[in-house]
């Protein structure tokens, strides 16, 4: 699309106040203009993530300088490129991580935070990749240092993060233990590659982990729960184990049993993704392209899609996100 023929306005989604899905509104906004290293993407799909829900509820504002339009990941076709863009040209299919602005007809992204869409994925599937795969790669492999032969515990095994973590950890040779909230979800975890699945509503996951590992514990834990899970995770960890906190759904505050930390010589860390620099996200993108793109090209480790919703049904998509679901929920624009 030429500069002269481009529309000036687009539809986008914002929250008019803090609250439930009913506060989401489709409004008109200006189509963003790409900077020197940015590409303008006609959005085909936008993944829905837990941080979007937190932003809608008033608990996770966008970083300084970012739009208040929701959405952290997109897929679509490039329609315009900045004058310093070297990799992508008009017509290229991309999937990209954005700090905000994904729930819109058009979005801009720095080319370094975008990846080409493999032929094994539809654009709707590709929209479910960036937020979860960037998050899992940086926390499980870069920060968590998961290695072949180690034992890995992931909580919320049927969430977008969980389904991604199970598949990648299995693909790179780890033994995976997942927790989930029903027998159906446990079966889904096993189908994705977990060696063991624990129903946390009917079983004590610490005791089950000890049984599975003959009291050794696990090498790495990824946790999105927080609260009282922190001490329980330390109990479930092996000596020299690592725990990576990536969300705090049970709340940000917890009392730590420091003796467990000391006695087991544990490593406790955490991270968020949204506010990281373009360069930090670029490093994750480069490693995904080197290590995971070959798997995608062979049809492995593809995102698990729970459901798709038309852009106009964004409220219903968030209601689904708030309810029981398995895998990713995607807004589609085509």
């Amino acid at each position: 699309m030429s500069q002269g023929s481009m529309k000036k306005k687009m539809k986008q989604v914002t929250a008019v106040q803090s609250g439930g899905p009913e506060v989401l509104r489709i409004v008109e906004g200006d189509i963003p203009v790409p900077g020197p290293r940015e590409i303008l993407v006609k959005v085909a799909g936008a993944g829905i993530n837990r941080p979007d829900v937190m932003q809608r509820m008033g608990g996770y504002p966008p970083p300084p300088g970012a739009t208040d339009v929701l959405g952290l990941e997109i897929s679509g076709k490039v329609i315009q490129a900045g004058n310093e863009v070297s990799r992508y040209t008009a017509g290229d299919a991309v999937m990209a991580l954005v700090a905000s602005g994904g729930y819109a007809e058009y979005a801009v992204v720095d080319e370094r935070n975008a990846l080409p869409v493999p032929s094994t994925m539809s654009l709707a599937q590709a929209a479910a990749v960036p937020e979860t795969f960037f998050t899992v790669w940086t926390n499980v492999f870069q920060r968590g240092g998961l290695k072949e032969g180690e034992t890995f515990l992931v909580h919320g095994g049927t969430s977008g993060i969980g389904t991604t973590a199970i598949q990648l950890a299995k693909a790179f040779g780890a033994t995976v233990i997942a927790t989930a909230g029903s027998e159906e979800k446990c079966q889904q975890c096993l189908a994705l590659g977990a060696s063991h699945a624990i129903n946390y509503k009917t079983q004590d996951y610490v005791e089950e982990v000890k049984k599975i590992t003959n009291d050794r514990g696990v090498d790495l834990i990824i946790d999105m729960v927080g609260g009282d899970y922190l001490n329980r995770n330390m109990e479930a960890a092996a000596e020299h184990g690592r725990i990576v906190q990536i969300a705090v759904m049970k709340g940000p505050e917890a009392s730590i049993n420091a003796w467990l930390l000391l006695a087991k010589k544990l490593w406790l860390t955490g991270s968020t993704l949204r506010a990281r620099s373009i360069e930090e996200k670029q490093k994750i993108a480069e490693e995904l392209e080197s290590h995971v793109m070959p798997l995608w090209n062979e049809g492995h480790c593809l995102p698990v899609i729970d459901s798709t919703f038309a852009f106009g049904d964004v409220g219903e998509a968030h209601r689904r996100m708030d309810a029981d679901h398995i895998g990713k929920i995607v807004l589609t624009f085509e």
Side-chain angles (χ1 to χ4, degrees), residues 35-92:
R37 294 207 65 177
E38 292 180 327
I39 50 177
L40 177 64
V41 179
K42 188 177 189 300
V43 178
I48 294 178
N49 295 282
R50 189 61 57 186
D52 302 340
V53 173
M54 294 168 58
Q55 179 174 334
R56 186 198 77 207
M57 297 174 67
Y60 194 37
T67 175
D68 62 355
V69 175
L70 279 73
L72 301 176
E73 59 183 349
I74 61 166
S75 66
K77 297 286 184 70
V78 176
I79 61 169
Q80 188 181 351
N83 58 18
E84 294 180 15
V85 170
S86 59
R87 180 168 191 183
Y88 301 107
T89 59
D92 289 344

Side-chain angles (χ1 to χ4, degrees), residues 13-44:
V13 176
T14 61
V16 294
Q17 62 188 60
S18 301
E22 69 279 357
V23 306
L24 297 176
R25 296 286 188 277
I26 297 177
V27 299
E28 191 175 77
D30 294 328
I31 293 178
V33 177
R37 294 207 65 177
E38 292 180 327
I39 50 177
L40 177 64
V41 179
K42 188 177 189 300
V43 178

Side-chain angles (χ1 to χ4, degrees), residues 50-305:
R50 189 61 57 186
D52 302 340
V53 173
M54 294 168 58
Q55 179 174 334
R56 186 198 77 207
M57 297 174 67
Y60 194 37
T67 175
D68 62 355
V69 175
L70 279 73
L72 301 176
E73 59 183 349
I74 61 166
S75 66
K77 297 286 184 70
V78 176
I79 61 169
Q80 188 181 351
N83 58 18
E84 294 180 15
V85 170
S86 59
R87 180 168 191 183
Y88 301 107
T89 59
D92 289 344
V94 297
M95 48 190 182
L97 192 68
V98 293
S100 61
Y103 294 12
E105 291 182 291
Y106 299 87
V108 291
V109 62
D110 191 288
E111 68 166 339
R112 292 167 288 179
N113 293 167
L115 290 168
V117 176
S119 61
T120 51
M121 287 185 203
S122 67
L123 285 175
Q125 283 179 300
V129 166
E131 174 69 14
T132 46
F133 277 84
F134 276 62
T135 297
V136 169
W137 188 262
T138 189
N139 287 292
V140 175
F141 296 96
Q142 290 182 337
R143 295 182 70 81
L146 186 65
K147 300 176 182 64
E148 183 178 359
E150 290 191 319
T151 304
F152 170 56
L153 171 64
V154 57
H155 292 295
T158 56
S159 65
I161 295 293
T163 54
T164 301
I166 290 170
Q167 292 186 89
L168 288 181
K170 173 71 172 179
F172 287 97
T175 298
V176 182
I177 304 171
T179 67
S182 71
E183 291 307 314
E184 176 194 1
K185 289 184 175 183
C186 284
Q187 289 303 313
Q188 182 69 29
C189 292
L190 295 172
L192 287 170
S195 296
H196 307 274
I198 301 166
N199 184 340
Y200 64 81
K201 291 185 177 179
T202 60
Q203 299 171 290
D204 183 318
Y205 79 81
V206 176
E207 292 305 316
E208 293 302 315
V209 163
K210 289 180 178 179
K211 291 177 187 176
I212 292 167
T213 62
N214 294 318
D215 282 329
R216 178 182 177 275
V218 294
D219 299 293
L220 176 66
I221 301 172
I222 295 294
D223 182 40
M224 298 163 274
V225 182
D228 63 352
Y229 266 46
L230 184 54
N231 282 327
R232 299 179 69 202
N233 286 336
M234 291 196 289
E235 291 177 19
E239 190 170 341
H240 300 288
R242 292 100 64 198
I243 301 168
V244 184
Q245 198 75 41
I246 62 171
V248 285
M249 294 176 66
K250 274 195 169 187
E253 296 185 6
S255 297
I256 294 178
N257 183 340
W259 176 248
L260 272 177
L261 195 69
L262 299 174
K264 287 189 169 185
K265 297 171 281 295
L266 301 177
W267 188 80
L268 174 62
T269 187
S271 77
T272 59
L273 179 65
R274 187 179 194 179
R276 292 197 196 187
S277 69
I278 288 168
E279 291 75 17
E280 286 180 285
K281 294 173 184 176
Q282 176 188 5
K283 177 64 174 174
I284 303 170
E286 289 171 347
E287 292 192 15
L288 283 172
E289 187 156 15
S290 295
H291 300 291
V292 182
M293 186 68 78
L295 296 171
W296 291 331
N297 287 335
E298 294 176 0
H300 303 310
C301 297
L302 301 180
V304 176
I305 306 297

